[in-house]
């Protein structure tokens, strides 16, 4: 049940821009407010600004901000 709630909470962030805090093993962490979330996308690097375009379970799908 917690997964579903996390996913719903994550969906509220679609369309927002955020910053990549770190990347380890192809998995990025982004910060939104005080919270860290997992994110994935292509050609990501730490310190980069990205836009949330989708959610898969409770991981954001992100792309580089234009």
């Amino acid at each position: 049940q917690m997964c579903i709630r996390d996913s719903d909470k994550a969906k509220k962030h679609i369309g927002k821009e955020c910053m990549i805090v770190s990347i380890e093993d192809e998995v990025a962490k982004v910060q939104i407010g005080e919270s860290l979330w997992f994110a994935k996308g292509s050609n990501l690097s730490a310190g980069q600004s990205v836009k949330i375009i989708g959610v898969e379970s409770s991981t954001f799908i992100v792309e580089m901000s234009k």
Side-chain angles (χ1 to χ4, degrees), residues 10-18 50-54 61:
K11 284 180 181 142
K12 293 186 180 131
H13 294 298
I14 292 172
K16 287 187 185 174
E17 296 202 355
C18 55
V50 293
K51 185 174 181 177
I52 300 163
I53 57 168
I61 310 300

Side-chain angles (χ1 to χ4, degrees), residues 20 22-23 26-28 30 39-51 61-66:
I20 296 177
S22 65
I23 299 180
E26 306 275 317
V27 178
V30 295
K40 62 185 184 182
S42 53
N43 301 321
L44 303 178
S45 55
Q48 184 179 49
S49 184
V50 293
K51 185 174 181 177
I61 310 300
V62 298
E63 66 179 12
M64 279 190 278
S65 296
K66 302 283 185 275

Side-chain angles (χ1 to χ4, degrees), residues 1-11:
Q1 214 172 12
M2 190 169 160
C3 256
I4 294 166
R5 204 175 306 127
D6 279 352
S7 180
D8 286 345
K9 201 159 114 182
K11 284 180 181 142

